[in-house]
Amino acid sequence: MEQRYLGRSGLRVSRMGLGTMTWGRDTDADEAATQLLAFTEAGGTLVDTADVYVEGESERILGGLLGEVVPRDELVIATKAVARRNDGPFGGGASRGALLHALDGSLRRLGVEHIDLWQLHAWDGNVPLEETLSALDTAVASGRVRYAGVSNYSGWQLGTAAALPGHTPLVSTQVEYSLLERGVEREVVPAAEHHGIGLLPWAPLGRGVLTGKYRNGTPSDSRGASAHFAGYVEQHRTERAARIVQAVATAADGLGTNALCVALAWVRDRPGVVAPVVGARDTAQLLGSLAAEELTLPPAIRAALDDVSAVEFGYPERPMG
């Protein structure tokens, strides 16, 4: 698998990341081990988790596989903090105390001495930005974190955090980005490009909708049929989405591949994108995503998909004529 530099940093990661949001709920430890092995055998290195995924169980499972299934130094481990884990004084948020408390917990669950990429899971408007960034500074200076990034920041939030002088540079931003969700192109993508920050798209398959599995209903074994993911998937089951899904299916037929590979290859090679983060319930699903590594979309097909999924740009994102 091709390796790419993350933003303007010297950190190299595989151009596809393995997401672990289902580990501990829909994916047990044995299946997670099989996924991780398949991912690394394909050349994958970036594994993404968070302290709140299944109440920390995702981190625990990943930690249990390090050394047993894959050597620790063959992976770039990324995790996140800020989202609320409990109602205690340090149970969430972006205060200095809460973040460093969360970091200690992640290190303990993962069973590692440092995290390669520590990400702020969301913006916290209740905490001064200087305080939040000081926690990143402390984490990096102490050796417990190597690189820092953010997730789900708007364009102005990303630009403000990146431009504040004297703090640890941000190397990545993780945002929802797919043929069905291109709103980040208005302000987040330009801000990331300006500040040398790499994009890590989550839900690159439109929460599964771009695979075409929901075209004729909701499969009983899909996320759309599960109590905890039904609403997550439903957001992208619209008339506009149906038109895009049809275009992806048509492109896949013409290329002799499947919709999953087309949708993943499209976002993987967008400007500024370093590595889409793909999640899979089982190894068969993951192998389907890994197959996209062999596909590069022809310019004509890429242009057609750009057109059918285009987002509207208005003032001030669109320059005045």
Side-chain angles (χ1 to χ4, degrees):
M1 189 180 301
E2 180 182 321
Q3 307 294 304
R4 293 173 169 174
Y5 285 103
L6 190 55
R8 290 196 190 124
S9 77
L11 178 61
R12 295 174 69 242
V13 300
S14 52
R15 68 172 181 174
M16 184 184 301
L18 176 61
T20 64
M21 188 171 66
T22 64
W23 288 17
R25 179 183 286 123
D26 303 314
T27 305
D28 63 23
D30 289 339
E31 181 59 37
T34 305
Q35 284 188 23
L36 185 60
L37 190 59
F39 180 67
T40 55
E41 287 180 345
T45 61
L46 177 62
V47 182
D48 181 73
T49 184
D51 59 354
V52 292
Y53 288 172
V54 198
E55 299 178 341
E57 190 61 22
S58 172
E59 288 184 329
R60 292 188 191 93
I61 289 176
L62 176 57
L65 301 178
L66 300 178
E68 295 294 324
V69 175
V70 176
R72 163 68 181 93
D73 59 6
E74 292 184 6
L75 297 179
V76 175
I77 297 176
T79 192
K80 312 178 196 74
V82 172
R84 185 150 290 280
R85 303 177 310 280
N86 57 61
D87 294 329
F90 304 114
S95 70
R96 179 182 176 87
L99 284 173
L100 295 178
H101 183 78
L103 176 58
D104 289 340
S106 289
L107 290 169
R108 183 174 60 254
R109 288 185 291 273
L110 289 164
V112 297
E113 294 181 352
H114 74 271
I115 289 164
D116 300 302
L117 177 63
W118 194 38
Q119 304 156 103
L120 301 174
H121 210 158
W123 178 269
D124 187 347
N126 295 313
V127 178
L129 181 58
E130 292 84 354
E131 179 179 343
T132 296
L133 296 182
S134 75
L136 298 184
D137 299 338
T138 297
V140 171
S142 68
R144 291 177 290 171
V145 166
R146 297 294 193 254
Y147 295 89
V150 298
S151 180
N152 302 310
Y153 272 37
S154 67
W156 76 263
Q157 292 167 348
L158 179 63
T160 302
L164 202 63
H167 292 285
T168 297
L170 299 177
V171 303
S172 66
T173 182
Q174 195 170 147
V175 289
E176 182 172 6
Y177 192 12
S178 73
L179 278 161
L180 299 184
E181 182 54 82
R182 294 179 60 184
V184 292
E185 292 178 7
R186 295 188 181 97
E187 294 192 353
V188 174
V189 173
E193 180 181 16
H194 179 76
H195 291 286
I197 294 171
L199 296 168
L200 300 175
W202 60 265
L205 298 175
R207 310 186 184 200
V209 174
L210 285 165
T211 65
K213 70 173 67 176
Y214 298 107
R215 294 175 71 186
N216 300 310
T218 303
S220 59
D221 63 345
S222 68
R223 288 185 179 183
S226 66
H228 48 277
F229 280 125
Y232 173 83
V233 173
E234 195 64 28
Q235 292 184 45
H236 287 325
R237 298 180 71 178
T238 64
E239 290 185 7
R240 174 181 176 273
R243 292 192 297 271
I244 296 171
V245 170
Q246 179 58 53
V248 171
T250 300
D253 289 343
L255 293 171
T257 185
N258 57 50
L260 184 157
C261 287
V262 169
L264 193 52
W266 180 88
V267 72
R268 181 198 65 207
D269 295 330
R270 293 295 292 171
V273 168
V274 176
V277 178
V278 296
R281 184 179 63 255
D282 54 40
T283 305
Q285 285 188 344
L286 176 60
L287 291 175
S289 294
L290 292 172
E293 181 66 15
E294 305 299 321
L295 178 64
T296 299
L297 297 180
I301 288 180
R302 177 170 289 280
L305 294 175
D306 289 351
D307 288 344
V308 75
S309 64
V311 292
E312 183 177 348
F313 282 71
Y315 175 82
E317 296 92 2
R318 183 186 65 232
M320 294 179 66

